[in-house]
Amino acid sequence: FVAKLIFGSVMGIDESGNYFPLLAEKVETSEDGLTWTIKFRDGLTWHDGTPFRATDYVYTLTQAATRRGVVRNLMMGFDSVTEVDSSTVQINFKMVNAAFQYALTTAYLAPMPQAYIESVGAEEFARKPIGLGMFKFKEWVVGSKLILETNRDFSALPEGKLLPYIEEFEVRFIQEDATRLAGLTNGEIDYTYVNSTQISQYLNNEQYTVVPRKAGGFGSVVFMNVEKAPFTDLNVRKAFAHAVDR
């Protein structure tokens, strides 16, 4: 959530589930689904004022392709990425990736500032990030809160949308449900997640606005116990992986 506010995303999803370009001006897919062309908006600048270049996104995807976990699955079949011009990249896949369009709406594949990361190092970047998003990083108190400020230079707004009127956005890290809800009740917190077992007290209450959230589905998962035969054999595990028609 916070990462997307800072880094932005190539595409967005509206209330009806429709995809639209966000940091991108246009996203096109070849007829066979193996080639994606992304043209970014003109005039995009990083939070430190330096201009965004297509090479930043070549760097982003090249780095992302080396990761494991969620990012690796979102980029399944990735082959290469090349710069077409200063604002356009072409991405090639070895297989059709049905998840890639969704991936472009997440912070997992949000553009990363190559020059800044290489200048300050990955650890410093993680502590003081810059991005292309609607909010800029201001302060981080580990385990307590994160303060962001509105990026008044953000220009990748959908038609008819305006920048937030607020100047600062504070995210607090509160694990206990009771503490969060108490903060919401006494006005200390403006917005928080409320689980289904506690939502009834806020429904039909004029003091609160309840914003429903669509939950994603769950894919089927097979866990292999690598300490028991036959899954102790790497080739057996590979055979199961190849047997699945993704």
Side-chain angles (χ1 to χ4, degrees):
F1 170 69
V2 172
K4 191 169 181 177
L5 292 177
I6 296 173
F7 300 121
S9 59
V10 177
M11 300 187 73
I13 306 179
D14 66 20
E15 295 83 355
S16 301
N18 299 311
Y19 291 88
F20 61 90
L22 195 56
L23 294 176
E25 179 182 302
K26 183 167 56 176
V27 178
E28 296 180 328
T29 314
S30 63
E31 189 172 342
D32 61 9
L34 297 179
T35 302
W36 292 69
T37 303
I38 300 174
K39 181 176 186 331
F40 287 91
R41 294 175 183 265
D42 293 331
L44 292 177
T45 58
W46 298 106
H47 293 159
D48 65 354
T50 58
F52 165 82
R53 295 287 183 264
T55 51
D56 286 308
Y57 206 59
V58 172
Y59 168 82
T60 298
L61 293 190
T62 302
Q63 295 296 312
T66 66
R67 300 177 195 159
R68 296 183 178 274
V70 174
V71 177
R72 185 172 183 174
N73 289 333
L74 291 175
M75 294 188 66
M76 190 171 294
F78 172 81
D79 185 27
S80 63
V81 55
T82 56
E83 177 188 7
V84 177
D85 57 42
S86 61
S87 62
T88 309
V89 298
Q90 181 175 294
I91 306 155
N92 302 304
F93 284 86
K94 299 175 183 177
M95 56 176 274
V96 175
N97 183 336
F100 190 65
Q101 187 175 40
Y102 167 75
L104 293 176
T105 72
T106 71
Y108 291 116
L109 297 186
M112 295 288 121
Q114 180 179 4
Y116 179 77
I117 294 173
E118 293 178 344
S119 172
V120 304
E123 186 173 342
E124 180 70 8
F125 173 67
R127 293 291 179 183
K128 297 180 179 179
I130 65 170
L132 298 173
M134 192 181 297
F135 288 89
K136 298 180 180 181
F137 171 85
K138 182 177 182 180
E139 181 184 359
W140 180 15
V141 180
V142 178
S144 176
K145 63 183 179 181
L146 186 68
I147 301 177
L148 309 177
E149 57 185 0
T150 301
N151 176 17
R152 292 298 168 193
D153 294 323
F154 185 76
S155 58
L157 285 167
E159 188 175 350
K161 300 291 184 180
L162 301 174
L163 282 169
Y165 66 87
I166 57 173
E167 291 301 324
E168 289 192 351
F169 186 95
E170 182 174 305
V171 180
R172 296 186 183 179
F173 307 117
I174 305 172
Q175 296 184 4
E176 299 79 14
D177 286 347
T179 305
R180 290 203 318 273
L181 297 184
L184 185 65
T185 301
N186 63 30
E188 186 179 354
I189 295 174
D190 297 306
Y191 176 89
T192 188
Y193 169 76
V194 180
N195 64 47
S196 58
T197 61
Q198 298 167 310
I199 195 65
S200 59
Q201 61 186 302
Y202 301 101
L203 295 170
N204 301 318
N205 186 328
E206 294 182 354
Q207 289 184 302
Y208 303 99
T209 299
V210 177
V211 182
R213 185 179 68 174
K214 293 181 180 179
F218 291 91
S220 299
V221 180
V222 176
F223 293 98
M224 302 178 188
N225 187 341
V226 298
E227 296 181 353
K228 290 187 176 182
F231 300 113
T232 51
D233 187 336
L234 176 60
N235 288 324
V236 171
R237 301 198 297 272
K238 286 183 176 180
F240 268 77
H242 286 300
V244 176
D245 182 358
R246 297 179 184 272

